[in-house]
Amino acid sequence: MTMADHVLDVLISENEIKLRTAELAQQILASYQGQDLILVGILKGSLYFLADLSRHFPPSIEIDFIQVSSYRGGKSSTGVVQIRKDLDINIEGRDVLIVEDVVDTGTTLLHLLELLQTRRPNSIKVATLLSKRQAKNVDINVDFVGFEIEDEFVVGYGLDFGERYRSLPFISILRNLPSASE
Ligand code: IMP
Ligand code: MG
């Protein structure tokens, strides 16, 4: 299959992302009142969002990454989450902001929050660029949401389909997915 086989409709433009990211950053900053933050990006989808969001923060913020097993080769989820790359920074007593690309069922975040809580941070909050409107499978609190979207499979600005399309500067709906990837 070639790239041309996929239809890419723009859902959220580059400029909309830019404006919303700036707004969100101000909201986040206001809620922390000068505390020293650690931004924890969930690899790889949060790559661009974290890069753009972090540039609105004071230079004293720390940045780290965690990678959990991608249980989605295509679109389906097994609900199993494993750590593939752990944090370098000790988060005990620290204020942690998890930066995620999209919260869908909430499974990934739930497991990650459980794990990070065992390390006794002072606080953990979550900022996600996208949140799917459909009822979450799990009861999870997301503190900062960029955009609420419908239950569609999206790519771009870090989000991938089989590792492709991450570098698109906008968010796009991927409609004609091959059924073999399910
Ligand atoms: P959840 O565990 O169901 O909330 O899924 C979260 C993870 O699944 C995200 O971090 C993404 O890696 C992936 N994911 C969910 N929806 C999409 C999508 O529409 N496009 C690309 N990746 C997605
Ligand atoms: Mg992700």
Side-chain angles (χ1 to χ4, degrees):
M1 177 168 50
T2 67
M3 304 263 292
D5 293 327
H6 290 136
V7 175
L8 296 168
D9 298 330
V10 177
L11 180 66
I12 307 169
S13 72
E14 199 172 352
N15 198 45
E16 285 176 290
I17 295 171
K18 191 179 170 192
L19 294 174
R20 185 67 185 125
T21 301
E23 266 178 15
L24 217 50
Q26 295 316 316
Q27 203 184 320
I28 292 167
L29 276 172
S31 85
Y32 280 103
Q33 300 170 332
Q35 287 150 274
D36 286 325
L37 268 190
I38 304 176
L39 300 186
V40 169
I42 306 181
L43 291 172
K44 305 173 198 172
S46 68
L47 180 63
Y48 295 89
F49 181 44
L50 185 136
D52 288 340
L53 190 69
S54 62
R55 277 180 278 198
H56 294 279
F57 292 147
S60 59
I61 56 148
E62 291 166 58
I63 295 177
D64 205 348
F65 293 98
I66 195 163
Q67 185 166 24
V68 296
S69 59
S70 68
Y71 53 82
R72 283 167 188 273
K75 288 199 304 172
S76 51
S77 162
T78 60
V80 178
V81 175
Q82 281 180 325
I83 301 290
R84 297 177 69 177
K85 187 248 171 261
D86 206 337
L87 297 174
D88 296 325
I89 300 175
N90 178 4
I91 61 169
E92 186 172 349
R94 303 296 307 275
D95 295 296
V96 175
L97 180 68
I98 295 178
V99 180
E100 175 64 306
D101 52 359
V102 55
V103 179
D104 183 3
T105 63
T107 312
T108 306
L109 217 46
L110 181 80
H111 288 271
L112 202 57
L113 285 169
E114 276 174 8
L115 173 88
L116 296 182
Q117 287 291 4
T118 66
R119 300 180 184 179
R120 303 176 175 281
N122 181 53
S123 71
I124 303 189
K125 289 185 182 179
V126 178
T128 186
L129 177 68
L130 307 174
S131 176
K132 294 196 186 176
R133 251 186 262 275
Q134 68 171 95
K136 302 276 178 286
N137 287 356
V138 294
D139 185 19
I140 199 157
N141 178 41
V142 179
D143 305 273
F144 307 99
V145 177
F147 301 91
E148 296 268 1
I149 63 169
E150 302 302 329
D151 187 23
E152 306 239 42
F153 195 81
V154 292
V155 294
Y157 199 68
L159 290 113
D160 75 308
F161 175 64
E163 296 301 329
R164 289 174 191 262
Y165 307 113
R166 290 193 199 277
S167 62
L168 285 173
F170 50 84
I171 301 284
S172 177
I173 298 175
L174 201 59
R175 285 196 199 284
N176 53 343
L177 285 172
S179 54
S181 68
E182 291 281 341

